[in-house]
């Protein structure tokens, strides 16, 4: 089992913690990590883009000129794609881009993402994250104590003081143990998790 240091909010090491290899020590499957990221982005797409084909553009019912004898190429409608104001060839239509991953694939992808962060020494465990008040400056000070700029902060419970304090920091995202996903883990260079959050993750994903 991998051992990681446990820090307090002042950035001082206060102990160590053993990580469960079933979650934080698996063989990294880059393909599944990639698929999980693609799925997350695809599921966020609205898919509402739309353009009109020649059959949907109003007008163009009359033949512009007779078939022969004008010297022009034959034309059947002024709404054909080659005409200004005509329809679009193979125009995009609203569609659903989302797709599904199997439950085992999603779990394996999450385990791989967490393992990669541990292997890169980008997984920081803190004994607790508690704020007496909503203060962005105080939360920023905690990050500076831990020498972190861009981070995903994983909490074991929805502490509004912590969540609201971190909300105004553009390079910080907070998440609960049941809302973490591969995309966020890979997007942020460092994962900061409370000791209680790590125990919950091991309990759910082991």
């Amino acid at each position: 089992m991998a051992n990681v240091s446990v820090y307090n909010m002042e950035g001082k090491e206060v102990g160590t913690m053993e990580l469960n290899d079933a979650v934080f020590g698996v063989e990294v499957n880059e393909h599944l990590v990639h698929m999980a990221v693609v799925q997350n982005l695809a599921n966020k797409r609205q898919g509402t883009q739309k353009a009109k084909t020649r059959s949907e553009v109003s007008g163009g019912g009359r033949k512009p000129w007779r078939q022969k004898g004008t010297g022009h190429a034959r034309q059947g409608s002024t709404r054909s794609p080659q005409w200004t104001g005509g329809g679009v060839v193979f125009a995009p239509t609203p569609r659903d881009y989302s797709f599904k991953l199997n439950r085992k694939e999603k779990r394996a992808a999450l385990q791989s993402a967490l393992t990669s962060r541990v292997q890169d020494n980008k997984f920081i465990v803190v004994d607790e994250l508690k704020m007496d008040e909503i203060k962005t400056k105080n939360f920023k000070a905690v990050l500076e104590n831990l020498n972190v700029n861009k981070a995903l902060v994983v909490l074991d419970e929805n502490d509004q003081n912590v969540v609201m304090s971190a909300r105004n920091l553009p390079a910080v995202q907070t998440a609960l143990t049941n809302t973490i996903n591969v995309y966020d883990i890979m997007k942020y260079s460092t994962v900061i998790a409370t000791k209680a959050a790590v125990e919950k993750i091991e309990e759910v994903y082991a």
Side-chain angles (χ1 to χ4, degrees):
M1 289 189 175
N3 268 320
V4 293
S5 299
V6 179
Y7 299 91
N8 60 17
M9 291 172 61
E10 285 73 43
K12 296 177 182 176
E13 188 174 337
V14 292
T16 59
M17 183 179 189
E18 275 195 355
L19 299 178
N20 190 339
D21 283 345
V23 180
F24 297 97
V26 302
E27 184 178 347
V28 177
N29 189 325
E30 291 183 6
H31 174 67
L32 283 182
V33 172
H34 171 73
M35 289 298 294
V37 171
V38 171
Q39 187 212 23
N40 187 286
L41 293 173
N43 290 357
K44 286 180 178 179
R45 292 184 70 172
Q46 286 185 314
T48 53
Q49 72 277 43
K50 177 74 175 80
K52 291 183 178 180
T53 62
R54 61 180 293 176
S55 65
E56 295 169 317
V57 180
S58 63
R62 181 177 62 82
K63 191 172 173 64
W65 50 74
R66 65 181 191 273
Q67 182 80 344
K68 292 177 177 291
T70 63
H72 294 299
R74 52 194 168 190
Q75 301 290 338
S77 169
T78 56
R79 297 300 180 262
S80 296
Q82 73 270 23
W83 283 71
T84 300
V88 178
V89 184
F90 306 130
T93 53
R95 55 167 285 197
D96 181 12
Y97 286 92
S98 65
F99 64 93
K100 291 183 71 175
L101 280 180
N102 294 335
R103 190 180 302 168
K104 285 184 178 179
E105 289 178 324
K106 292 174 84 170
R107 180 182 291 256
L110 188 70
Q111 291 169 348
S112 292
L114 290 170
T115 298
S116 70
R117 284 288 170 256
V118 173
Q119 290 175 351
D120 295 339
N121 294 320
K122 295 293 185 180
F123 190 84
I124 298 174
V125 180
V126 293
D127 55 353
E128 63 174 1
L129 275 175
K130 296 290 182 185
M131 296 275 177
D132 296 329
E133 58 179 338
I134 298 171
K135 199 79 172 176
T136 302
K137 187 165 71 174
N138 294 349
F139 192 88
K140 192 174 181 181
V142 173
L143 295 181
E144 289 172 354
N145 293 338
L146 297 170
N147 293 320
V148 175
N149 293 321
K150 188 175 182 181
L152 173 68
V153 180
V154 184
L155 306 169
D156 60 305
E157 58 183 17
N158 191 13
D159 188 328
Q160 283 299 301
N161 283 358
V162 176
V163 173
M164 299 290 278
S165 296
R167 192 170 66 173
N168 277 343
L169 296 171
V172 176
Q173 171 76 34
T174 57
L176 297 176
T177 52
N178 60 347
T179 63
I180 56 172
N181 59 73
V182 176
Y183 175 73
D184 285 339
I185 293 171
M186 302 311 293
K187 178 182 177 183
Y188 294 92
S189 56
T190 305
V191 176
I192 299 173
T194 62
K195 199 172 179 181
V198 173
E199 290 169 354
K200 272 192 178 181
I201 290 171
E202 290 179 340
E203 185 181 328
V204 174
Y205 297 104

